[in-house]
Amino acid sequence: GQQLNQSPQSMFIQEGEDVSMNCTSSSIFNTWLWYKQDPGEGPVLLIALYKAGELTSNGRLTAQFGITRKDSFLNISASIPSDVGIYFCAGQLSPGTYKYIFGTGTRLKVLA
Amino acid sequence: DSGVTQTPKHLITATGQRVTLRCSPRSGDLSVYWYQQSLDQGLQFLIQYYNGEERAKGNILERFSAQQFPDLHSELNLSSLELGDSALYFCASSVDGGGEQYFGPGTRLTVT
């Protein structure tokens, strides 16, 4: 099925480092959502973006809706061990389709 | 806790069998989405209902069907099960047909 290109696929970082990941597509999206999923659990919504250029923060997390509406990025500042997990982006195609396409995920591992 | 409930949490069944997964959305949410997540894969959108009506369809197999009842809970029926249907099945809900989706804890289906 359709999926967004999400990168990096996985990353190991040291505790305290900043992390950046992004999602790109050839399609235009109306909404971007960022989720974190722990093993065997349901994804938890982190940030929702609704307008091109929008920059939104949630604690140490910051996400932006790309100007072209074809991409989005998520930054995590000063990472901590509990940031470990898989981060997914999800994009809603043009208004009226109601379908969300999910990225392939970025697996984050934090070394204490 | 997202407020979305799913039952059962685990399900083990044999090939050829039929199962029903149940989802109750968050209070006030009218829309329900179903997703399939195979091992170490992203989330594949299956189907969406809004206030009892089918709103969008993804890569849902003909052997799978769903419905949303007047009390807004939803059921996903999987029939003629195959080994490849083993996966986590998530339900998500949102207030309307777009915007923020909140995920349930999932049902882990194992087909033997």
Side-chain angles (χ1 to χ4, degrees):
Chain A
Q2 283 180 288
Q3 283 191 319
L4 293 169
N5 299 316
Q6 191 170 344
S7 65
Q9 190 173 12
S10 64
M11 54 196 312
F12 285 84
I13 59 168
Q14 292 286 338
E15 183 177 357
E17 287 184 350
D18 296 345
V19 174
S20 184
M21 60 192 79
N22 67 79
C23 276
T24 60
S25 173
S26 57
S27 302
I28 290 176
F29 286 88
N30 185 51
T31 299
W32 286 96
L33 305 175
W34 282 93
Y35 289 88
K36 177 175 183 272
Q37 184 178 27
D38 292 327
E41 305 287 326
V44 175
L45 181 65
L46 299 174
I47 291 178
L49 302 161
Y50 297 102
K51 287 196 279 193
E54 180 182 353
L55 186 71
T56 296
S57 293
N58 177 7
R60 293 179 296 106
L61 279 60
T62 302
Q64 184 161 26
F65 194 140
I67 290 291
T68 65
R69 296 173 62 195
K70 295 181 180 181
D71 60 358
S72 177
F73 72 77
L74 174 71
N75 286 338
I76 305 172
S77 63
S79 57
I80 58 178
S82 62
D83 290 334
V84 166
I86 303 177
Y87 292 79
F88 289 102
C89 62
Q92 182 189 20
L93 292 167
S94 57
T97 65
Y98 306 108
K99 286 173 60 173
Y100 275 85
I101 311 299
F102 275 75
T104 48
T106 293
R107 188 179 298 271
L108 180 65
K109 299 186 182 182
V110 180
L111 305 174
Chain B
D1 185 352
S2 66
V4 178
T5 61
Q6 288 187 249
T7 56
K9 190 163 178 64
H10 300 279
L11 197 50
I12 302 174
T13 189
T15 54
Q17 295 298 305
R18 173 189 169 94
V19 297
T20 297
L21 312 183
R22 182 187 168 103
C23 167
S24 292
R26 293 187 320 158
S27 176
D29 284 359
L30 298 178
S31 199
V32 169
Y33 308 76
W34 286 98
Y35 292 88
Q36 179 191 56
Q37 186 177 39
S38 300
L39 187 64
D40 290 336
Q41 298 292 311
L43 289 143
Q44 297 292 328
F45 170 70
L46 296 178
I47 198 164
Q48 180 206 0
Y49 281 82
Y50 176 76
N51 205 20
E53 301 283 331
E54 182 183 305
R55 177 65 70 86
K57 208 173 223 185
N59 300 317
I60 187 166
L61 299 173
E62 285 192 12
R63 300 183 285 107
F64 295 2
S65 65
Q67 56 183 324
Q68 186 180 27
F69 295 86
D71 67 352
L72 301 177
H73 90 272
S74 178
E75 292 181 357
L76 178 67
N77 300 298
L78 315 176
S79 62
S80 302
L81 286 167
E82 302 174 358
L83 295 177
D85 296 329
S86 296
L88 272 166
Y89 290 85
F90 288 104
C91 166
S93 73
S94 65
V95 171
D96 53 24
E100 300 162 23
Q101 294 182 35
Y102 293 87
F103 281 78
T107 292
R108 181 177 294 281
L109 174 66
T110 303
V111 182
T112 62

